[in-house]
Amino acid sequence: MNQDILKRLTETLTARKQASPESSYVAKLFSKGEDAILKKIGEEATEVILASKAADKTHLVYETADLWFHCMVLLAHHGMSAEDVLNELARREGLSGIAEKAGRKKD
């Protein structure tokens, strides 16, 4: 069901890292490198904001799905997956946002 989509998508993204850029959108994005992926995330984040400001719930869901997808592409680029993010969210569960932020390393 829906819980499995992140796993299936992660497997697909991992496979696309080795694919020919002509074979898929994701393979082409991987071939262009991190800057292209980051640019796409920025575009999608802007589209999420615009959909929210327009109070268009259907479009907001669509654009959020695009943003999440491209964030997953970035994670895969770095050899990570949605599971890493889910683990971090689980770690934070029940923590005060103020306490969690205070506990982060300072650069």
Side-chain angles (χ1 to χ4, degrees), residues 55-95:
D56 184 339
K57 292 180 181 180
T58 300
H59 196 224
L60 178 59
V61 168
Y62 179 86
E63 295 301 344
T64 300
D66 282 351
L67 177 59
W68 287 10
F69 174 82
H70 287 90
C71 287
M72 289 184 67
V73 172
L74 180 64
L75 289 168
H77 173 77
H78 287 284
M80 302 172 74
S81 72
E83 187 71 24
D84 295 298
V85 177
L86 293 173
N87 289 339
E88 176 60 14
L89 290 172
R91 183 192 70 79
R92 293 181 186 188
E93 187 176 19
L95 291 177

Side-chain angles (χ1 to χ4, degrees), residues 9-107:
L9 188 51
T10 296
E11 290 168 356
T12 299
L13 293 174
T14 300
R16 295 292 191 271
K17 285 177 77 171
Q18 308 305 321
S20 166
E22 293 79 32
S23 68
S24 78
Y25 166 77
V26 172
K28 186 174 185 177
L29 195 54
F30 279 133
S31 75
K32 290 182 179 181
E34 183 177 39
D35 285 348
I37 298 167
L38 293 171
K39 180 180 177 187
K40 194 64 185 165
I41 289 172
E43 291 170 6
E44 298 302 342
T46 298
E47 291 173 4
V48 166
I49 292 166
L50 294 173
S52 179
K53 294 298 283 180
D56 184 339
K57 292 180 181 180
T58 300
H59 196 224
L60 178 59
V61 168
Y62 179 86
E63 295 301 344
T64 300
D66 282 351
L67 177 59
W68 287 10
F69 174 82
H70 287 90
C71 287
M72 289 184 67
V73 172
L74 180 64
L75 289 168
H77 173 77
H78 287 284
M80 302 172 74
S81 72
E83 187 71 24
D84 295 298
V85 177
L86 293 173
N87 289 339
E88 176 60 14
L89 290 172
R91 183 192 70 79
R92 293 181 186 188
E93 187 176 19
L95 291 177
S96 154
I98 294 170
E100 191 282 324
K101 190 170 183 178
R104 293 182 196 174
K105 293 181 183 176
K106 304 289 184 214
D107 292 10

